[in-house]
Amino acid sequence: MWRDLLAGNFKDADIAVFGIAVDENCSVGRGTASAPMVLRECSEYLPPYTATGERLKPVLWDLGDVREFHYGQVFEKMSICKDKKCVLMIGGDHSCSILSERAFRALHDGKIGLIHIDAHADICDVYMGSKYSHACVNRRALENGYAVEDISLVGIRSFEEQEKEYLAEHPVFLLRADEIFCKKADKVVDELCQKYTGYDGIYLSFDIDAVDPAYAPGTGTPEPFGLSNLTVLTILKGLVERLPVKALDVVEVSPPLDVNNITAWLALKYILEIIKIIDKK
Ligand SMILES: [Mn+2]
């Protein structure tokens, strides 16, 4: 796994990766629990180059998977790699981010921002009877040390009624997918960089369903009118390059719902591009 990307030992690795192989908090299509393993399997086939032909160095360390929805276990993984340049969590459904975002906030002092790239606002208090549904990620973040002004929602194009009510009363920074389409990706990066000026650390949470289902069909709650794969690449690269992104996740890839692993390959390609940017920092 991670062909040519693994460091010789933990000390020399700049980036740590771990999986949370859990999909019990999904509302519709499941299957994301197998994403960490499928991404690792696919990673063996990818040459260590970015799409622009830059060579990737062996900078990665894989801490394995957490296999239950358990804060203590996620905190332990996050604390082991607290001092790395960046930690990457592979989900799992988006509820996994509730645990890793909480751990990241608990492990880092200073001003910490949270950028949530997703088709969905995920700001329900309770969804289908659960406070830990993947539709409740940002409400739990607000209880776990992130303030309203720390959070940005990017790529949104689906709302529950309770979310509209919450957002009408709370000024969460929100960029809809149609706004991003009209504005262009570079402008979106500029806006977010301006918003997070003075922050000490950023957690970047990336739900693959932010990308249009035409590019990323293998996910449990596909939403039309989404962003192109290149638009999302430009946003991800720009944010990681210009902001102090110290943790990020890629969630909601569901291999059983995928077509020819298109979505898993896409997620992996994003990860390779991001690894290169972090390595250069
Ligand atoms: Mn989503």
Coordinates of all heavy atoms in Angstrom, one line a residue, residues 112-170:
I112 N -8.5 28.0 16.0 CA -8.6 26.9 15.1 C -9.8 27.0 14.2 O -10.9 27.2 14.7 CB -8.6 25.6 15.9 CG1 -7.4 25.4 16.8 CG2 -8.8 24.3 15.0 CD1 -6.1 25.2 16.1
G113 N -9.6 26.9 12.9 CA -10.7 27.0 12.0 C -11.2 25.6 11.4 O -10.4 24.7 11.5
L114 N -12.4 25.6 10.9 CA -12.9 24.4 10.4 C -13.6 24.7 9.0 O -14.5 25.4 8.9 CB -13.9 23.8 11.3 CG -14.7 22.6 10.9 CD1 -13.8 21.4 10.6 CD2 -15.7 22.2 12.0
I115 N -13.0 24.1 8.0 CA -13.6 24.3 6.6 C -14.2 23.0 6.2 O -13.5 21.9 6.2 CB -12.5 24.7 5.6 CG1 -11.8 26.0 6.1 CG2 -13.1 24.9 4.2 CD1 -10.7 26.5 5.2
H116 N -15.5 23.0 5.9 CA -16.3 21.8 5.6 C -16.7 21.9 4.2 O -17.6 22.7 3.8 CB -17.5 21.9 6.6 CG -18.5 20.7 6.5 ND1 -18.4 19.6 7.3 CD2 -19.5 20.5 5.6 CE1 -19.4 18.8 7.0 NE2 -20.1 19.3 6.0
I117 N -16.0 21.1 3.3 CA -16.4 21.0 1.9 C -17.3 19.9 1.6 O -16.9 18.7 1.9 CB -15.1 20.9 1.1 CG1 -14.1 22.1 1.4 CG2 -15.4 20.9 -0.4 CD1 -12.8 22.1 0.7
D118 N -18.5 20.2 1.2 CA -19.6 19.2 1.2 C -20.7 19.7 0.4 O -20.9 20.9 0.2 CB -20.0 19.0 2.7 CG -20.8 17.7 2.9 OD1 -21.5 17.2 2.0 OD2 -20.8 17.3 4.1
A119 N -21.5 18.7 -0.2 CA -22.8 19.1 -0.8 C -23.8 19.5 0.3 O -24.8 20.3 0.0 CB -23.4 18.0 -1.6
H120 N -23.6 19.0 1.5 CA -24.6 19.1 2.6 C -24.0 20.0 3.7 O -22.8 19.9 4.0 CB -24.9 17.8 3.2 CG -25.3 16.8 2.1 ND1 -24.4 15.9 1.5 CD2 -26.5 16.6 1.4 CE1 -25.0 15.2 0.6 NE2 -26.3 15.6 0.5
A121 N -24.9 20.8 4.4 CA -24.5 21.6 5.4 C -24.1 20.8 6.7 O -23.3 21.3 7.5 CB -25.5 22.7 5.7
D122 N -24.7 19.7 6.9 CA -24.4 18.8 8.0 C -24.5 19.6 9.4 O -23.7 19.4 10.2 CB -23.0 18.2 7.9 CG -23.0 17.1 6.8 OD1 -24.0 16.8 6.2 OD2 -21.9 16.6 6.6
I123 N -25.5 20.4 9.5 CA -25.6 21.2 10.7 C -27.0 21.0 11.4 O -27.5 21.8 12.1 CB -25.3 22.7 10.3 CG1 -24.9 23.5 11.6 CG2 -26.5 23.4 9.6 CD1 -24.1 24.7 11.2
C124 N -27.5 19.8 11.2 CA -28.7 19.3 12.0 C -28.3 19.1 13.4 O -27.2 18.6 13.7 CB -29.3 18.0 11.4 SG -29.9 18.2 9.8
D125 N -29.2 19.3 14.4 CA -29.0 19.0 15.8 C -29.2 17.5 16.0 O -28.3 16.8 16.5 CB -29.9 19.8 16.7 CG -29.6 19.5 18.1 OD1 -28.5 19.1 18.4 OD2 -30.5 19.8 19.0
V126 N -30.3 17.0 15.5 CA -30.6 15.6 15.6 C -31.2 15.2 14.2 O -32.0 15.9 13.6 CB -31.7 15.3 16.7 CG1 -32.0 13.8 16.7 CG2 -31.2 15.7 18.0
Y127 N -30.7 14.1 13.7 CA -31.2 13.6 12.4 C -31.5 12.1 12.5 O -30.7 11.3 12.9 CB -30.1 13.9 11.3 CG -30.6 13.7 9.9 CD1 -31.5 14.7 9.3 CD2 -30.4 12.6 9.1 CE1 -32.0 14.5 8.0 CE2 -30.9 12.4 7.9 CZ -31.7 13.4 7.3 OH -32.2 13.3 6.0
M128 N -32.7 11.8 12.0 CA -33.2 10.4 12.1 C -33.0 9.8 13.5 O -32.5 8.7 13.7 CB -32.6 9.5 11.0 CG -33.1 9.9 9.6 SD -32.2 9.1 8.3 CE -32.8 7.4 8.5
G129 N -33.2 10.7 14.5 CA -33.2 10.3 15.9 C -31.8 10.2 16.5 O -31.6 9.8 17.7
S130 N -30.8 10.6 15.7 CA -29.4 10.5 16.2 C -28.7 11.9 16.3 O -28.7 12.6 15.3 CB -28.6 9.5 15.4 OG -27.2 9.6 15.7
K131 N -28.0 12.1 17.3 CA -27.1 13.3 17.4 C -25.7 13.1 16.8 O -24.9 14.0 16.6 CB -26.9 13.7 18.9 CG -28.1 14.4 19.5 CD -27.8 14.8 21.0 CE -27.4 16.2 21.2 NZ -28.4 17.2 20.9
Y132 N -25.5 11.8 16.4 CA -24.2 11.5 15.8 C -24.4 11.0 14.3 O -23.5 10.4 13.7 CB -23.5 10.4 16.6 CG -23.0 10.9 17.9 CD1 -23.8 10.7 19.1 CD2 -21.9 11.7 18.0 CE1 -23.4 11.3 20.3 CE2 -21.5 12.2 19.2 CZ -22.3 12.0 20.4 OH -21.9 12.6 21.5
S133 N -25.5 11.4 13.7 CA -25.7 11.2 12.3 C -24.7 12.0 11.5 O -24.1 13.0 12.0 CB -27.1 11.7 11.9 OG -27.2 11.8 10.5
H134 N -24.4 11.5 10.3 CA -23.4 12.2 9.5 C -24.0 13.6 9.0 O -23.3 14.4 8.4 CB -23.0 11.4 8.3 CG -24.0 11.0 7.3 ND1 -23.7 10.6 6.0 CD2 -25.4 11.0 7.4 CE1 -24.8 10.4 5.3 NE2 -25.8 10.6 6.1
A135 N -25.3 13.8 9.3 CA -25.9 15.1 9.0 C -25.8 16.1 10.2 O -26.2 17.2 10.1 CB -27.4 15.0 8.7
C136 N -25.1 15.7 11.3 CA -24.9 16.5 12.5 C -23.5 17.0 12.8 O -23.2 17.5 13.8 CB -25.5 15.8 13.7 SG -27.2 15.2 13.5
V137 N -22.6 16.8 11.8 CA -21.2 17.0 12.1 C -20.9 18.4 12.6 O -20.2 18.6 13.6 CB -20.4 16.8 10.7 CG1 -18.9 16.9 11.0 CG2 -20.7 15.5 10.1
N138 N -21.4 19.4 11.9 CA -21.1 20.8 12.3 C -21.7 21.2 13.6 O -21.2 22.1 14.3 CB -21.4 21.7 11.2 CG -20.4 21.5 10.0 OD1 -19.2 21.5 10.2 ND2 -20.9 21.2 8.8
R139 N -22.9 20.7 13.9 CA -23.5 21.0 15.2 C -22.7 20.5 16.4 O -22.5 21.1 17.4 CB -25.0 20.5 15.3 CG -26.0 21.4 14.6 CD -26.0 22.8 15.3 NE -27.0 22.9 16.3 CZ -28.3 23.1 16.1 NH1 -28.8 23.1 14.8 NH2 -29.2 23.1 17.1
R140 N -22.2 19.3 16.1 CA -21.3 18.7 17.2 C -20.0 19.5 17.3 O -19.5 19.7 18.4 CB -21.1 17.2 16.9 CG -22.3 16.3 16.9 CD -23.0 16.2 18.3 NE -23.9 17.3 18.6 CZ -25.2 17.4 18.0 NH1 -25.6 16.5 17.2 NH2 -25.9 18.4 18.4
A141 N -19.5 19.9 16.1 CA -18.3 20.7 16.2 C -18.5 22.0 17.0 O -17.6 22.4 17.8 CB -17.8 21.1 14.8
L142 N -19.7 22.6 16.9 CA -20.0 23.8 17.7 C -20.0 23.5 19.2 O -19.8 24.4 20.0 CB -21.3 24.4 17.2 CG -21.3 25.0 15.8 CD1 -22.7 25.1 15.2 CD2 -20.7 26.4 16.0
E143 N -20.3 22.3 19.5 CA -20.2 21.9 21.0 C -18.8 21.4 21.4 O -18.6 21.3 22.6 CB -21.2 20.7 21.2 CG -22.7 21.1 20.9 CD -23.6 19.9 20.8 OE1 -23.1 18.7 20.9 OE2 -24.8 20.1 20.7
N144 N -18.0 21.2 20.4 CA -16.6 20.7 20.7 C -15.5 21.7 20.6 O -14.4 21.3 20.3 CB -16.4 19.4 19.9 CG -17.2 18.2 20.3 OD1 -17.6 18.1 21.4 ND2 -17.6 17.4 19.3
G145 N -15.9 23.0 20.7 CA -14.8 24.0 20.8 C -14.6 24.9 19.6 O -13.8 25.8 19.6
Y146 N -15.4 24.7 18.5 CA -15.4 25.5 17.4 C -16.6 26.5 17.5 O -17.7 26.2 17.8 CB -15.6 24.7 16.1 CG -14.5 23.7 15.8 CD1 -14.6 22.4 16.3 CD2 -13.3 24.1 15.1 CE1 -13.6 21.5 16.1 CE2 -12.3 23.1 14.9 CZ -12.5 21.9 15.4 OH -11.5 20.9 15.2
A147 N -16.3 27.8 17.2 CA -17.3 28.8 17.3 C -17.9 29.0 15.9 O -17.4 28.5 14.9 CB -16.7 30.2 17.7
V148 N -19.1 29.6 15.9 CA -19.8 29.8 14.6 C -18.9 30.5 13.6 O -18.8 30.1 12.4 CB -21.1 30.7 14.8 CG1 -21.6 31.2 13.5 CG2 -22.1 29.9 15.5
E149 N -18.1 31.5 14.0 CA -17.2 32.2 13.1 C -16.0 31.4 12.7 O -15.3 31.8 11.7 CB -16.8 33.6 13.7 CG -16.0 33.5 15.0 CD -16.9 33.5 16.2 OE1 -18.1 33.2 16.1 OE2 -16.4 33.9 17.3
D150 N -15.7 30.3 13.3 CA -14.6 29.4 12.9 C -14.9 28.5 11.7 O -14.0 27.9 11.1 CB -14.2 28.5 14.1 CG -13.7 29.3 15.3 OD1 -13.1 30.4 15.1 OD2 -13.8 28.8 16.4
I151 N -16.2 28.4 11.5 CA -16.7 27.3 10.5 C -17.1 27.9 9.2 O -17.7 29.0 9.1 CB -17.9 26.6 11.1 CG1 -17.4 25.9 12.4 CG2 -18.4 25.5 10.1 CD1 -18.6 25.1 13.1
S152 N -16.6 27.3 8.1 CA -17.1 27.6 6.7 C -17.7 26.4 6.1 O -17.1 25.3 6.2 CB -15.9 28.1 5.9 OG -15.4 29.3 6.4
L153 N -18.8 26.6 5.4 CA -19.4 25.5 4.6 C -19.2 25.8 3.1 O -19.7 26.8 2.7 CB -20.9 25.4 5.0 CG -21.2 25.3 6.5 CD1 -22.7 25.2 6.7 CD2 -20.5 24.1 7.2
V154 N -18.6 24.9 2.4 CA -18.2 25.2 1.0 C -18.8 24.1 0.1 O -18.5 22.9 0.3 CB -16.7 25.2 0.9 CG1 -16.3 25.5 -0.5 CG2 -16.1 26.3 1.9
G155 N -19.5 24.5 -1.0 CA -20.0 23.5 -2.0 C -21.5 23.1 -1.7 O -21.9 22.1 -2.3
I156 N -22.1 23.8 -0.8 CA -23.4 23.3 -0.3 C -24.5 23.5 -1.4 O -24.6 24.5 -2.1 CB -23.8 24.2 1.0 CG1 -22.6 24.2 2.0 CG2 -25.1 23.6 1.6 CD1 -22.1 22.9 2.5
R157 N -25.4 22.5 -1.4 CA -26.6 22.6 -2.3 C -27.7 21.7 -1.9 O -28.6 21.3 -2.7 CB -26.1 22.2 -3.8 CG -25.4 20.8 -3.8 CD -24.8 20.6 -5.2 NE -24.2 19.3 -5.3 CZ -23.0 18.9 -5.0 NH1 -22.2 19.8 -4.4 NH2 -22.5 17.7 -5.2
S158 N -27.8 21.5 -0.6 CA -28.9 20.7 0.0 C -29.1 21.1 1.4 O -28.2 21.3 2.2 CB -28.5 19.2 -0.1 OG -29.4 18.4 0.7
F159 N -30.4 21.3 1.8 CA -30.7 21.8 3.1 C -31.9 21.1 3.7 O -32.9 20.9 3.0 CB -31.1 23.3 3.1 CG -30.0 24.2 2.5 CD1 -30.0 24.4 1.1 CD2 -29.0 24.8 3.3 CE1 -29.0 25.3 0.5 CE2 -28.0 25.6 2.7 CZ -28.0 25.9 1.4
E160 N -31.8 20.8 5.0 CA -32.9 20.3 5.8 C -33.6 21.6 6.3 O -32.9 22.6 6.5 CB -32.5 19.4 6.9 CG -31.9 18.1 6.5 CD -33.0 17.1 6.1 OE1 -34.2 17.2 6.5 OE2 -32.7 16.2 5.2
E161 N -34.9 21.5 6.6 CA -35.6 22.6 7.2 C -34.9 23.1 8.5 O -34.7 24.3 8.6 CB -37.0 22.3 7.5 CG -37.9 23.5 7.8 CD -39.4 23.2 7.9 OE1 -39.7 22.0 7.8 OE2 -40.1 24.2 8.0
Q162 N -34.5 22.2 9.4 CA -33.9 22.7 10.6 C -32.6 23.4 10.3 O -32.1 24.2 11.1 CB -33.7 21.5 11.6 CG -32.9 20.4 11.1 CD -32.5 19.4 12.2 OE1 -31.9 19.8 13.2 NE2 -32.8 18.1 12.0
E163 N -31.9 23.0 9.2 CA -30.7 23.7 8.9 C -30.9 25.1 8.4 O -30.2 26.0 8.8 CB -29.9 22.8 7.8 CG -29.5 21.5 8.3 CD -28.7 20.7 7.3 OE1 -29.2 20.6 6.1 OE2 -27.6 20.1 7.6
K164 N -31.9 25.3 7.6 CA -32.3 26.6 7.1 C -32.6 27.5 8.3 O -32.2 28.7 8.4 CB -33.5 26.6 6.2 CG -33.1 26.1 4.8 CD -32.1 26.9 4.0 CE -32.7 28.2 3.5 NZ -31.7 29.0 2.7
E165 N -33.3 26.9 9.3 CA -33.7 27.7 10.5 C -32.4 28.1 11.3 O -32.2 29.2 11.7 CB -34.6 26.9 11.4 CG -36.0 26.8 10.8 CD -36.9 25.8 11.5 OE1 -36.5 25.2 12.5 OE2 -38.0 25.5 10.9
Y166 N -31.5 27.1 11.5 CA -30.3 27.4 12.2 C -29.4 28.5 11.5 O -28.9 29.4 12.1 CB -29.5 26.1 12.4 CG -28.3 26.4 13.3 CD1 -28.3 26.3 14.7 CD2 -27.0 26.7 12.7 CE1 -27.3 26.5 15.5 CE2 -25.9 27.0 13.5 CZ -26.0 26.9 14.9 OH -24.9 27.2 15.7
L167 N -29.3 28.3 10.2 CA -28.4 29.2 9.4 C -29.0 30.6 9.3 O -28.3 31.6 9.2 CB -28.2 28.6 8.0 CG -27.3 27.3 8.0 CD1 -27.4 26.6 6.6 CD2 -25.9 27.6 8.4
A168 N -30.3 30.7 9.4 CA -30.9 32.0 9.4 C -30.6 32.8 10.6 O -30.6 34.1 10.6 CB -32.5 31.9 9.2
E169 N -30.3 32.1 11.7 CA -30.1 32.8 13.0 C -28.6 32.8 13.4 O -28.2 33.5 14.3 CB -30.8 32.0 14.1 CG -32.3 32.3 14.1 CD -33.1 31.3 14.9 OE1 -32.5 30.6 15.8 OE2 -34.3 31.2 14.7
H170 N -27.8 32.1 12.7 CA -26.4 32.0 13.0 C -25.5 32.3 11.7 O -25.7 31.6 10.7 CB -26.0 30.7 13.6 CG -26.7 30.3 14.8 ND1 -28.0 29.8 14.8 CD2 -26.4 30.5 16.1 CE1 -28.4 29.6 16.0 NE2 -27.5 30.0 16.8

